[in-house]
Amino acid sequence: MKKFGLLTFLAVIAVCLVSTAAYADTATLTYTGPTGPNNDYPYGFQVKVNGVTTNQTLMCASDFTFIQGNESWTANIFTPSTAPIPGVPASGYAVSSSAWLAAAWLYDNAKANLGSEAVVFADQNAVWSLFMAPGPDPTAQDVLNKLAGGTLTAPTDVLIYMYDDGTTITNQYGNYDPQIFLGSTPEPGSLLLLGTGLGLLAFGLYRGKLRSEEH
């Protein structure tokens, strides 16, 4: 009974560690280069959370700062419902978390249509307009209206990465703080790899305990 209890305990720890890997408070972002059809938007990144690094495609949510290749920094992680509104909202409609919900949908749509430059650019411009444009963007306004009307549903797996405004920026572009980015939760493959390693560790400890009890 004690042997089974140890194995169960270790397995529970492994599952908990894997489950929380995607939901840390901060992440380290390293810009690896553009991934778009014409070597443009969106951007490729290495995203490190709780020691697990994934390669992700992120969308820029701020067009008033700059980054360059291999620039790296620590970002705070938010969900669309908890992220603050950056900068000055566009003409009266980006004043709440509804802007981030719309941005999350636009990011998800762009990611699903990476082969279409027109879709990616339209979605990227719409995201920018949610937070800084002088007037409403038709694509952004359409998404906001449909979300409000219930004909669209914002994705639940999109995260917002904002520079934590304190840590060192490696290979910084001039004096600019890094941009704000939208991305997905770490992909299952990387978390599965971590879980496999933890599971093997648990099994090894269990086998070691069995052998010690046999002698």
Side-chain angles (χ1 to χ4, degrees), residues 7-152:
L7 181 61
T8 302
F9 176 70
L10 291 171
V12 168
I13 290 177
V15 170
C16 290
L17 287 171
V18 172
S19 298
T20 57
Y23 300 102
D25 294 328
T26 62
T28 301
L29 271 59
T30 303
Y31 174 48
T32 57
T35 62
N38 290 321
N39 200 34
D40 213 319
Y41 302 111
Y43 295 139
F45 275 87
Q46 288 184 337
V47 180
K48 186 176 182 180
V49 179
N50 286 349
V52 179
T53 300
T54 58
N55 293 315
Q56 292 201 40
T57 299
L58 306 186
M59 175 181 279
C60 173
S62 54
D63 194 30
F64 46 80
T65 54
F66 301 91
I67 58 172
Q68 60 185 349
N70 296 316
E71 186 168 340
S72 183
W73 65 91
T74 301
N76 292 321
I77 303 175
F78 299 94
T79 63
S81 61
T82 62
I85 300 296
V88 179
S91 303
Y93 68 89
V95 294
S96 70
S97 61
S98 60
W100 279 121
L101 293 174
W105 188 92
L106 289 161
Y107 162 76
D108 214 39
N109 188 63
K111 189 176 179 182
N113 291 277
L114 290 179
S116 172
E117 183 179 19
V119 173
V120 171
F121 272 41
D123 289 342
Q124 176 66 86
N125 285 322
V127 169
W128 284 335
S129 79
L130 288 167
F131 307 105
M132 67 192 65
D137 174 271
T139 299
Q141 193 63 64
D142 182 58
V143 172
L144 283 167
N145 291 339
K146 288 180 178 178
L147 287 172
T151 56
L152 282 183

Side-chain angles (χ1 to χ4, degrees), residues 3-4 6-14 194-212:
K3 297 173 185 177
F4 178 78
L6 173 65
L7 181 61
T8 302
F9 176 70
L10 291 171
V12 168
I13 290 177
L194 175 62
T196 301
L198 291 171
L200 290 173
L201 175 62
F203 180 72
L205 292 172
Y206 173 63
R207 287 292 300 271
K209 182 175 176 59
L210 281 180
R211 288 177 179 174
S212 66

Side-chain angles (χ1 to χ4, degrees), residues 133-214:
D137 174 271
T139 299
Q141 193 63 64
D142 182 58
V143 172
L144 283 167
N145 291 339
K146 288 180 178 178
L147 287 172
T151 56
L152 282 183
T153 301
T156 59
D157 63 344
V158 174
L159 300 176
I160 294 99
Y161 299 98
M162 294 186 178
Y163 173 53
D164 68 357
D165 198 26
T167 58
T168 300
I169 304 170
T170 302
N171 199 35
Q172 185 176 8
Y173 185 95
N175 293 319
Y176 290 97
D177 286 344
Q179 295 160 323
I180 301 168
F181 287 93
L182 294 119
S184 302
T185 54
E187 297 183 9
S190 298
L191 296 182
L192 179 61
L193 182 61
L194 175 62
T196 301
L198 291 171
L200 290 173
L201 175 62
F203 180 72
L205 292 172
Y206 173 63
R207 287 292 300 271
K209 182 175 176 59
L210 281 180
R211 288 177 179 174
S212 66
E213 290 178 352
E214 289 172 355

